[in-house]
Amino acid sequence: MPEPAETIIELTIPSNHAGARLDQALAQLLPDWSRSRLQTWIREKRIRVDGTEAVPKQKVWSGEKIEVKPARHPIETGFVPEAISLDIVYEDEALIVINKPAGLVVHPGSGNWRGTMLNALLHHAAQLSAIPRAGIVHRLDKDTSGLLVVAKTLEAQTSLVRQLQKHTVKRDYLALVLGRVPAGGWVDAPVGRHPVQRTKMAVVASGKEARTHYEVLEKFDDCTLLRCSLETGRTHQIRVHMHSIGHPLLGDAVYGGKPKRIIQNAGPSLPGFPRQALHAQRLELSHPQRDVRMAWEAALPEDMNRLLLMLRENRDRKLHSIHPAKA
């Protein structure tokens, strides 16, 4: 899909701006844009005076012919198709279920206006351009892998949003957390924007209700493999909840600090991991057009699988050294 041609604004400097700096005159003549924005466009050579590229601090004397080529905000150019491969687990006339790899951003946003899953979806199914957010009804963090569902029609999108609101969409994650978690349980604590660090979420009284159930699957010396099930779907919910009980996710650069109640910090035997060790393993929902429950599972990605194999080998080697087999 070709991008629309850039708009060019043409104007003439009136006599009452004679002797003013170009950016000052344009700030008066083009009040929709700030002076700092206009200064940026001068530096980016998006403004011409009498056919010549404008320069910073340039003055005007009236009668000059000005051409301004406004830069579109990235959000205006973010929703375009891109030929990015998708691991499609299931697709029909109403749904697409995708196994998202770690590293893929779901939706265009600050710092990631292109190369997202939304761009890939628009290339895969052109009709999604008529659906809000290209049919995306829930998201995974950039560095979380696993399953998410996309609606292909407005009716399907409405149905899925209502299921999410009613907590009838079941989502199970595999999470490797620091410390030895003694037993399964749940966290029922509201999640909202961090009061100081605004790019983070936190357990705060003013947040939205959030519940995460967790089950211990496997224990290692310095960490524990959990199955986490979401009742609600708040931003960073599992990462925030696990951190709040002293068991941040292995590899989590945002929430992986040392909380006061951490039970056991990473030991020397624990290998490093370049992202949060979190994978959306299972997804279950009611099909929007059929009276049937459907479920899908996604195997662990290669990086998490290698990590678990390494942890098991370390654990087994240590057990063997403590309790060697009798000759």
Side-chain angles (χ1 to χ4, degrees):
M1 179 184 296
E3 295 187 18
E6 290 187 293
T7 300
I8 296 179
I9 298 171
E10 298 179 347
L11 53 87
T12 300
I13 299 294
S15 59
N16 62 330
H17 288 290
R21 275 179 36 166
L22 174 61
D23 59 331
Q24 294 171 329
L26 290 178
Q28 295 293 320
L29 297 169
L30 301 171
D32 287 344
W33 292 289
S34 68
R35 184 176 164 190
S36 62
R37 174 72 64 86
L38 292 163
Q39 289 171 338
T40 298
W41 290 349
I42 291 173
R43 291 193 297 270
E44 293 176 347
K45 305 185 185 305
R46 305 186 71 86
I47 298 177
R48 300 173 72 87
V49 179
D50 289 334
T52 302
E53 291 174 352
V55 296
K57 300 183 179 180
Q58 180 172 348
K59 289 190 174 183
V60 291
W61 302 100
S62 84
E64 292 93 341
K65 304 296 183 183
I66 309 296
E67 294 180 1
V68 180
K69 188 184 294 182
R72 294 196 300 274
H73 191 278
I75 198 169
E76 299 176 45
T77 60
F79 287 60
V80 296
E82 292 186 67
I84 301 168
S85 63
L86 292 170
D87 182 1
I88 296 176
V89 176
Y90 174 84
E91 182 174 10
D92 63 19
E93 69 282 359
L95 301 176
I96 307 174
V97 177
I98 295 170
N99 183 16
K100 187 190 84 68
L104 179 64
V105 174
V106 171
H107 192 283
S110 180
N112 295 285
W113 295 108
R114 293 292 186 89
T116 72
M117 194 184 81
L118 181 145
N119 299 115
L121 285 167
L122 292 175
H123 182 270
H124 173 74
Q127 71 268 30
L128 292 176
S129 62
I131 311 296
R133 299 175 299 283
I136 295 169
V137 295
H138 67 117
R139 306 185 192 184
L140 295 176
D141 297 336
K142 175 183 177 181
D143 290 327
T144 297
S145 58
L147 297 173
L148 50 76
V149 63
V150 175
K152 292 179 70 174
T153 68
L154 285 170
E155 294 77 14
Q157 190 175 49
T158 299
S159 172
L160 292 172
V161 168
R162 287 175 177 169
Q163 290 183 55
L164 286 163
Q165 291 172 341
K166 294 178 180 178
H167 311 318
T168 58
V169 176
K170 305 300 182 184
R171 289 166 289 171
D172 295 337
Y173 293 70
L174 295 180
L176 195 63
V177 302
L178 296 182
R180 291 178 66 86
V181 181
W186 67 90
V187 183
D188 189 346
V191 172
R193 189 67 56 185
H194 193 288
V196 178
Q197 298 171 281
R198 304 303 290 174
T199 59
K200 295 174 63 173
M201 308 300 286
V203 170
V204 290
S206 60
K208 295 180 179 180
E209 67 168 343
R211 283 181 296 278
T212 304
H213 299 263
Y214 58 92
E215 172 191 358
V216 173
L217 298 181
E218 198 167 354
K219 294 181 180 181
F220 304 97
D221 285 343
D222 304 302
C223 57
T224 306
L225 180 65
L226 303 178
R227 177 180 290 115
C228 296
S229 301
L230 295 181
E231 272 193 47
T232 55
R234 308 306 176 200
T235 302
H236 300 175
Q237 179 174 319
I238 291 175
R239 299 165 66 187
V240 170
H241 273 174
M242 291 301 102
H243 179 271
S244 74
I245 63 170
H247 295 287
L249 270 66
L250 173 65
D252 193 334
V254 178
Y255 302 101
K258 296 181 179 180
K260 293 179 180 178
R261 291 182 294 141
I262 190 164
I263 296 170
Q264 184 176 358
N265 291 332
S269 65
L270 192 58
F273 200 62
R275 66 177 179 94
Q276 63 261 15
L278 185 63
H279 174 67
Q281 179 199 33
R282 188 175 187 276
L283 176 68
E284 180 182 334
L285 51 84
S286 295
H287 192 280
Q289 296 179 349
R290 309 171 198 162
D291 186 21
V292 61
R293 293 287 290 180
M294 301 185 73
W296 302 268
E297 292 192 8
L300 276 174
E302 184 59 28
D303 61 349
M304 278 190 70
N305 197 45
R306 286 197 307 269
L307 175 63
L308 284 172
L309 288 174
M310 189 182 306
L311 289 169
R312 289 169 184 142
E313 288 175 358
N314 290 344
R315 179 189 60 194
D316 294 346
R317 188 181 304 114
K318 186 173 181 179
L319 286 173
H320 180 74
S321 65
I322 296 174
H323 303 290
K326 293 181 180 180

